[in-house]
Amino acid sequence: EDKVVQSPLSLVVHEGDTVTLNCSYEVTNFRSLLWYKQEKKAPTFLFMLTSSGIEKKSGRLSSILDKKELFSILNITATQTGDSAIYLCAVEASSSYKLIFGSGTRLLVRP
Amino acid sequence: DTAVSQTPKYLVTQMGNDKSIKCEQNLGHDTMYWYKQDSKKFLKIMFSYNNKELIINETVPNRFSPKSPDKAHLNLHINSLELGDSAVYFCASSQDFRGFPDTQYFGPGTRLTVL
């Protein structure tokens, strides 16, 4: 059965810290991996990764995919209180064309 | 402009009632989805339509019936509501599920509470 596992489940850091969120997956016919940030309501798109070893970057956030070891990491440097959210990892399988979500990592950034 | 919109945002109703949630996207996308997010924040897909045609139908009770009058709209009708149906329901859309790996854009969610 296809599955996506995120770790840690929750994380508390102080402003300025750097955090690394992990996402591992077991999916038949992998197509893409996506990261979302969910604050109060709808998840908002962060990154989509399809190729191994190519880092995607947006401001203080970056992500990379390892298709051999079946995982991705999301890095946030110089964290701010506004980064507090649930970060969701999802994997798309070409056999089913649906997103399979992990349970998310709840990040709390304290001032 | 709102890309993916849902109505209502909140819905409180009694067990046994029938209710509908509406979703509209103005992105020109061909594919739309319904997800259920439970109390543990797990997002699970329920249905997906591509250009008004059902393509994903996960194992959900047949009390749930999606309807797509056109490719910009995907509504969710729920009959005989049960306590366990309480959740946040998200609608999403993407360009075309058959194309290059595609980002899904989510609506704001509808929080359904069944009393």
Side-chain angles (χ1 to χ4, degrees), chain A residues 11-28:
Chain A
L11 193 53
V12 181
V13 299
H14 287 97
E15 271 193 316
D17 289 349
T18 293
V19 297
T20 299
L21 310 183
N22 303 292
C23 175
S24 63
Y25 62 90
E26 290 177 27
V27 168
T28 306

Side-chain angles (χ1 to χ4, degrees), chain A residues 31-32 34 36 38 41-43 45 48 50 86 88 92 96-99 101-103 106, chain B residues 9-10 35 37 41-43 45 56 58 90 97-104 106-108:
Chain A
R31 197 162 185 237
S32 64
L34 297 96
Y36 288 89
Q38 184 176 22
K41 284 276 187 164
F45 171 76
M48 180 168 72
T50 55
I86 295 172
L88 292 164
E92 185 183 17
S96 60
Y97 297 110
K98 63 185 181 185
L99 286 180
F101 282 85
S103 56
R106 187 182 296 269
Chain B
K9 290 191 175 151
Y10 299 95
Y35 288 87
Q37 187 179 45
K41 300 295 185 182
F42 240 119
L43 270 169
I45 191 162
I56 295 173
E58 287 297 286
F90 284 102
F97 77 103
R98 294 164 300 183
F100 188 80
D102 201 18
T103 304
Q104 292 185 23
F106 284 79

Side-chain angles (χ1 to χ4, degrees), chain A residues 4-109:
Chain A
V4 176
V5 178
Q6 290 185 245
S7 63
L9 291 179
S10 65
L11 193 53
V12 181
V13 299
H14 287 97
E15 271 193 316
D17 289 349
T18 293
V19 297
T20 299
L21 310 183
N22 303 292
C23 175
S24 63
Y25 62 90
E26 290 177 27
V27 168
T28 306
N29 296 324
F30 172 90
R31 197 162 185 237
S32 64
L33 184 145
L34 297 96
W35 283 98
Y36 288 89
K37 177 183 180 182
Q38 184 176 22
E39 295 173 271
K40 292 181 181 171
K41 284 276 187 164
T44 52
F45 171 76
L46 293 174
F47 299 110
M48 180 168 72
L49 303 150
T50 55
S51 302
S52 272
I54 299 174
E55 186 183 51
K56 293 258 180 134
K57 204 168 168 59
S58 175
R60 297 176 292 103
L61 276 67
S62 62
S63 183
I64 198 160
L65 173 68
D66 186 329
K67 286 165 76 171
K68 184 179 175 188
E69 299 298 329
L70 307 182
F71 77 91
S72 173
I73 59 171
L74 175 68
N75 275 324
I76 309 175
T77 58
T79 50
Q80 301 171 357
T81 55
D83 296 327
S84 297
I86 295 172
Y87 290 83
L88 292 164
C89 172
V91 174
E92 185 183 17
S94 58
S95 54
S96 60
Y97 297 110
K98 63 185 181 185
L99 286 180
I100 301 149
F101 282 85
S103 56
T105 293
R106 187 182 296 269
L107 173 65
L108 176 62
V109 181

Side-chain angles (χ1 to χ4, degrees), chain B residues 7 20 22 26 35-36 54 93 114:
Chain B
T7 54
S20 291
K22 296 186 176 182
N26 61 7
Y35 288 87
K36 179 180 179 181
L54 181 67
S93 74
V114 182

